[in-house]
Amino acid sequence: MEHSTNASGSGQEETVVSPTGHSEEFAQQRVSNPTKEAWVLDSLKKRRTEFLHKQQIRAFVGTWNVNGKAPPADLGQLTAWLGFVPDNEVELEKLPELVVLGFQELDVRAEAFVYNNSVKDMEWTEAVERSMGGAKQKLVKVASKQLIGMFIMVYVRTDMVDVVTDVKMASVGCGIMGMVGNKGAVAVRLTFRDTPMCFVCAHLAHDGAQVERRNAQFHDLSRRLTFAGSAADADPLTPSADVVGSGATEADRMHSVFDHSYVVWFGDLNYRLAIDTGDMDEILARGEHRSLLGLDQLQIVRMNKQAFAGFEEGHIDFAPTYKYIVGTSDYDVRRRPAWCDRVLWWTRPGCEDGVQSEAYESVDSVCTSDHKPVRAQLGLDVWRVDVEQRRAVFLEVLRELDRYENECIPTANVEATTVDFGDVYFGRAVRRQLRVGNSGQVPLEYGFVATPNRAAVAPGWLRITPEHGMLLPGQHVDVELVISVDERTSAPLSTRQEDLDDILVLHLTRGRDYFIQVHGAYQVSVYGMSLDVLVHCKGAVRNMTRADFEQCLRSGQFSVPRSMWLLIDFLSRYGVDRGLTLFNYSGDSVLGRRIREWLDTDQPLDPGTILQWPEGGDAQGSSRMSLTDQTLVASAISDIDVLAPSTAEALEQLSLGTWTPTPMRAESDSESEPDLEPDSHRHLSSGQAAEAIAGRAAHDAGVDTVASCLVELLRALPSPLIPTALYTACIEAGGHSRAAALEALEVLPPGNLNVLVYLLAFLREAVERGATAAARVARVFAPALLRPPVGHIRVDAEDGYAEMFVLYLLQSHGQI
């Protein structure tokens, strides 16, 4: 049953307004930045005496588990429990401003559980009010709430009725099946002047072994006990931020137990003593009960923050309140004595020291139950807010904040708002610098930040160094912007689905944002173009539009990419047929760029230019890296973070001496050993055969460059010729047999298979005619054909297995 009285009774409404936003005039001025809000609140706390008027009131809190008994016929027992009832004339100012009484096991009848009703509340209410004597005329009951055996009543002193508002009640059962009200809590919340507080009367699980269940019930009740919206904040300086500016009204919001300045939690909490020392009877007989407090389960769980964390309790200087033989003050020796009946309180941050314990005791003379009643008198600090004065102080604080911010706003000089990179080619980094200077009077923290359309600060093809930093007044920094298109970012650019256009956001901490547009003209190339596109294109890709690529892909016809055919045809005619070695040297970077340009514009490779290219004729004039070493370096580079230079870019910057062949790193059984060396080298190891070929045959710088272009074309594919999904199967096959290698390629897409067959046919011919060694082919082409998926962790033998896989493919003439 539930009873509620509007405590104000005056018909006047008092608006409780938070200085940071619970009224319309402040909502527009609310400081949304958490750091600024903390500064405003701290400033208001320092000046709170200017608008907060503090008063201390007394609250009498009593709890009693009545064990299903009727009110005692001798009302003197109730009067003894209440304690504040005078023997003579009642003096109003000596009575507590609040009286809160809680009962447990008020009704233990079976029908009360089944039908969730009880008639005992009125019986006990009448008995309590009669026991108050003349004090009853000075107290007004503002709320009561019953849930089966739990019952709470709240009285307010008559001269304080007008300042008590927003009275709400709630109840939650957590007993049988976690819902029935044989265990649970009843609660009342109210606002005293401008200070909201909540009183919770609880009855938790019994039995000494049920500690964890009691802990869980506390947390369950804390979550499920809620009250309808109220006009008051828990702290006049710290309003609930989720309400302000959210569009929700106070009527829509549910307040939890902890949305108050104070929470007083009392009742039969049923925490027992952790262990039986064996001599408890003697200890209690000697009145040394304080020595048992270290075994109190409630104190232990509070200390370990398992339940009631942050709650406080008065000093316990009374004997355990359970379990007594009814009608006596003697303990029932069949049960371990315990302090089951408690009164605790919690204060919200900002309201520390707002509750003081003035008295905390049990009443030994009351013997009608197996529990002794407990009472506490608490001193509570309550506030009255001067709304107009608070508004004035708040506005002064805001003006002070504005002045500080205006003096401390950082400013910057940004050299340009547009950065043009000009023509951008696959694998060639283009660099620009952007100067940023501190033109303000305070240190400047800057950083490029992500945009709503992109999680990263820049697209994958753009690197920024440094991305963030700090400048003192007068200092500047040259930020380097680098566009580098490689196989990881080239696919959408190659078909003109995307452009090299973006807007960077340079953010100043506590300052403004600068928007910088970057632009580059990507020169579409067969390098970096996906195989699906290459096998369909038959013309100059440089001149194709987005519509041309779409039409080409819709044709459904595919063949070996024309660029690959041009390279292999040239190597066959001017390399293999002329008895030159292949894949020993990396070629010349300047000639390589010219060959790429011919491929991109669908021009034939000019033998006159290529074959007459001077040895060491690259721009640097230095010796050239072995193609095998080049490939191994490129493989290592591919594992570097996305902001690292691209493979092609790195290769252009590297130029080392002639590569010295080394033996294969993987071994295989005799049954699976490939046998593709020329007859004159058949009895040599793969490394020795490569040395023999390199030492016997001549090489040509132009042919070497074309061979390098072929390898780079394969490495530049966004998705390798053998898809990464097959990588693990191919590596495992390389460690087994040729049959396993062929089986791994059974699911290879038709377009990929067609190109692979064409490439292997050329490589077999080159090996058979002595232009290169099978081991050299495996070493050079394994990283180009097999690329591990992102996040793959390499093992030591993995490179050797990859090379063996390629050797098995070379051996499988007519089988693939």
Side-chain angles (χ1 to χ4, degrees):
M1 299 180 67
E2 180 175 311
H3 307 278
S4 176
T5 302
N6 185 337
S8 66
S10 62
Q12 297 179 351
E13 296 184 1
E14 181 178 3
T15 303
V16 181
V17 184
S18 166
T20 56
H22 274 206
S23 67
E24 291 185 1
E25 59 266 38
F26 289 126
Q28 292 82 12
Q29 304 176 55
R30 179 176 182 269
V31 183
S32 59
N33 182 287
T35 303
K36 294 179 182 178
E37 184 169 328
W39 186 89
V40 170
L41 292 175
D42 184 64
S43 299
L44 288 173
K45 286 178 181 178
K46 293 177 180 178
R47 300 181 58 179
R48 68 192 316 173
T49 57
E50 298 179 35
F51 56 85
L52 288 183
H53 304 282
K54 186 172 73 172
Q55 171 192 1
Q56 188 175 78
I57 65 170
R58 290 163 297 167
F60 176 92
V61 180
T63 177
W64 189 13
N65 183 323
V66 298
N67 195 25
K69 301 296 191 294
D74 179 10
L75 294 180
Q77 293 196 51
L78 286 175
T79 302
W81 171 41
L82 297 179
F84 58 82
V85 179
D87 296 330
N88 303 314
E89 182 179 355
V90 177
E91 297 182 39
L92 182 67
E93 63 276 5
K94 292 185 178 181
L95 293 177
E97 284 84 349
L98 284 175
V99 175
V100 183
L101 302 177
F103 297 88
Q104 304 83 46
E105 295 190 12
L106 196 73
D107 194 343
V108 294
R109 295 174 301 123
E111 53 267 33
F113 288 86
V114 175
Y115 299 108
N116 194 22
N117 68 355
S118 176
V119 295
K120 296 293 188 76
D121 61 323
M122 294 304 299
E123 182 181 2
W124 274 93
T125 299
E126 292 174 1
V128 167
E129 292 184 352
R130 288 199 311 272
S131 69
M132 290 181 179
K136 174 61 184 71
Q137 306 304 317
K138 308 296 184 180
L139 297 171
V140 176
K141 187 174 73 171
V142 296
S144 65
K145 180 73 174 177
Q146 181 178 7
L147 177 64
I148 304 181
M150 292 165 286
F151 182 44
I152 186 172
M153 298 187 294
V154 178
Y155 292 84
V156 177
R157 207 170 69 185
T158 53
D159 60 328
M160 295 293 168
V161 170
D162 291 345
V163 298
V164 174
T165 58
D166 304 313
V167 180
K168 300 288 190 309
M169 287 142 289
S171 63
V172 169
C174 64
I176 301 171
M177 300 179 64
M179 299 297 292
V180 178
N182 61 312
K183 294 293 188 290
V186 288
V188 173
R189 63 95 57 214
L190 55 87
T191 300
F192 199 108
R193 295 200 184 277
D194 294 324
T195 308
M197 55 189 70
C198 181
F199 298 91
V200 180
C201 172
H203 191 191
L204 304 183
H206 65 282
D207 190 83
Q210 297 291 326
V211 180
E212 292 186 3
R213 186 178 179 189
R214 285 188 282 275
N215 295 344
Q217 288 177 340
F218 164 76
H219 292 293
D220 184 44
L221 294 173
S222 299
R223 177 178 56 85
R224 294 169 56 200
L225 274 172
T226 56
F227 305 90
S230 166
D233 292 318
D235 185 333
L237 292 180
T238 55
S240 299
D242 56 334
V243 176
V244 182
S246 67
T249 65
E250 286 292 343
D252 297 330
R253 183 171 183 253
M254 298 299 291
H255 288 261
S256 76
V257 167
F258 297 103
D259 282 331
H260 300 84
S261 296
Y262 306 132
V263 177
V264 179
W265 196 301
F266 61 102
D268 180 5
L269 306 185
N270 254 324
Y271 284 94
R272 310 298 175 89
L273 296 181
I275 60 173
D276 190 342
T277 62
D279 57 351
M280 287 187 179
D281 294 341
E282 298 178 8
I283 292 175
L284 294 173
R286 294 195 302 266
E288 298 175 355
H289 48 264
R290 285 188 295 273
S291 63
L292 300 175
L293 282 172
L295 303 175
D296 177 48
Q297 292 175 341
L298 181 55
Q299 294 197 13
I300 293 172
V301 300
R302 283 172 53 205
M303 180 178 62
N304 295 329
K305 297 184 178 181
Q306 297 169 300
F308 292 96
F311 277 79
E312 299 179 64
E313 185 178 15
H315 176 65
I316 297 179
D317 196 22
F318 51 89
T321 59
Y322 176 83
K323 178 180 184 180
Y324 288 88
I325 299 173
V326 176
T328 74
S329 291
D330 299 326
Y331 288 105
D332 186 339
V333 295
R334 295 172 298 176
R335 295 290 184 91
R336 188 185 308 167
W339 285 275
C340 292
D341 309 279
R342 311 289 275 269
V343 179
L344 300 93
W345 67 86
W346 172 90
T347 60
R348 180 168 174 157
C351 304
E352 295 87 351
D353 301 323
V355 180
Q356 299 85 40
S357 176
E358 298 178 354
Y360 190 29
E361 55 196 353
S362 66
V363 184
D364 189 64
S365 61
V366 179
C367 303
T368 58
S369 171
D370 55 356
H371 288 253
K372 296 296 184 182
V374 170
R375 63 192 180 198
Q377 182 158 300
L378 305 175
L380 305 179
D381 291 340
V382 296
W383 300 278
R384 180 177 61 83
V385 178
D386 186 330
V387 177
E388 292 300 324
Q389 182 61 23
R390 181 176 57 183
R391 179 184 292 111
V393 172
F394 179 60
L395 293 177
E396 288 180 14
V397 170
L398 285 185
R399 282 193 290 268
E400 185 180 8
L401 176 62
D402 289 340
R403 184 174 68 254
Y404 287 152
E405 287 186 327
N406 291 333
E407 293 174 355
C408 299
I409 291 177
T411 57
N413 283 332
V414 180
E415 185 179 51
T417 57
T418 301
V419 181
D420 191 348
F421 287 81
D423 291 341
V424 178
Y425 295 84
F426 179 88
R428 298 190 212 171
V430 183
R431 292 172 169 80
R432 297 288 186 268
Q433 285 191 339
L434 177 70
R435 175 161 293 189
V436 178
N438 184 351
S439 60
Q441 303 300 315
V442 295
L444 179 152
E445 294 182 47
Y446 70 91
F448 290 88
V449 297
T451 66
N453 298 326
R454 184 184 60 239
V457 300
W461 41 262
L462 179 64
R463 301 196 307 270
I464 305 173
T465 307
E467 286 187 2
H468 52 81
M470 186 184 77
L471 298 172
L472 296 177
Q475 288 185 334
H476 69 269
V477 63
D478 291 324
V479 178
E480 184 178 59
L481 306 177
V482 181
I483 286 185
S484 178
V485 179
D486 58 18
E487 65 273 10
R488 293 165 292 190
T489 58
S490 60
L493 298 170
S494 297
T495 55
R496 305 192 188 278
Q497 300 294 317
E498 295 181 6
D499 298 315
L500 294 178
D501 283 296
D502 198 68
I503 295 179
L504 304 178
V505 180
L506 177 62
H507 174 70
L508 306 186
T509 303
R510 302 182 305 277
R512 59 167 290 192
D513 291 340
Y514 295 83
F515 299 93
I516 301 161
Q517 183 177 8
V518 294
H519 169 74
Y522 182 62
Q523 304 302 300
V524 175
S525 173
V526 295
Y527 287 83
M529 188 170 288
S530 67
L531 186 64
D532 290 340
V533 179
L534 285 174
V535 298
H536 289 88
C537 293
K538 302 187 182 302
V541 297
R542 177 69 52 78
N543 302 322
M544 292 178 65
T545 65
R546 178 174 177 174
D548 293 335
F549 283 112
E550 293 174 350
Q551 182 178 359
C552 184
L553 291 172
R554 288 196 298 266
S555 67
Q557 301 176 354
F558 61 86
S559 60
V560 174
R562 178 168 171 77
S563 53
M564 183 178 292
W565 178 85
L566 288 172
L567 294 171
I568 290 178
D569 178 69
F570 188 96
L571 293 174
S572 296
R573 294 168 59 189
Y574 299 102
V576 176
D577 290 351
R578 294 174 62 205
L580 300 176
T581 61
L582 300 179
F583 310 118
N584 278 328
Y585 300 93
S586 61
D588 182 83
S589 61
V590 175
L591 177 58
R593 293 181 183 178
R594 185 173 299 186
I595 292 173
R596 287 189 187 188
E597 191 71 14
W598 289 337
L599 296 176
D600 294 340
T601 56
D602 197 33
Q603 299 180 44
L605 306 187
D606 180 14
T609 300
I610 296 175
L611 298 178
Q612 295 178 16
W613 198 263
E615 179 76 22
D618 56 348
Q620 290 75 23
S622 59
S623 59
R624 292 174 289 138
M625 179 193 289
S626 150
L627 188 57
T628 303
D629 281 350
Q630 167 187 341
T631 305
L632 295 175
V633 170
S635 176
I637 291 174
S638 68
D639 294 331
I640 301 176
D641 184 73
V642 70
L643 293 181
S646 67
T647 298
E649 176 189 354
L651 293 178
E652 287 188 351
Q653 299 173 1
L654 294 172
S655 180
L656 304 178
T658 304
W659 173 74
T660 302
T662 55
M664 286 290 293
R665 291 190 299 273
E667 299 180 357
S668 60
D669 55 26
S670 57
E671 176 186 358
S672 304
E673 184 68 34
D675 188 15
L676 290 174
E677 305 299 340
D679 292 341
S680 60
H681 305 141
R682 185 156 300 183
H683 301 293
L684 301 176
S685 69
S686 58
Q688 291 170 332
E691 287 181 337
I693 292 173
R696 183 196 67 182
H699 75 92
D700 179 87
V703 173
D704 291 337
T705 304
V706 175
S708 295
C709 288
L710 174 62
V711 177
E712 291 173 9
L713 180 66
L714 292 170
R715 286 200 55 83
L717 292 173
S719 178
L721 185 57
I722 299 177
T724 55
L726 303 180
Y727 178 80
T728 302
C730 293
I731 294 298
E732 292 176 353
H736 288 84
S737 64
R738 181 176 60 184
L742 295 176
E743 182 180 356
L745 295 181
E746 288 181 353
V747 294
L748 196 66
N752 297 55
L753 181 61
N754 190 38
V755 175
L756 181 61
V757 169
Y758 178 72
L759 175 64
L760 290 174
F762 162 68
L763 295 176
R764 288 193 194 97
E765 180 184 5
V767 171
E768 291 169 355
R769 295 180 60 181
T772 188
R776 178 65 61 83
V777 170
R779 186 74 59 84
V780 170
F781 281 88
L785 297 177
L786 293 171
R787 195 179 306 165
V790 176
H792 176 77
I793 301 176
R794 291 179 178 271
V795 296
D796 292 340
E798 196 164 301
D799 292 339
Y801 290 149
E803 294 169 16
M804 286 301 303
F805 178 80
V806 175
L807 287 173
Y808 287 144
L809 298 186
L810 289 173
Q811 185 184 17
S812 303
H813 182 65
Q815 295 177 289
I816 184 174

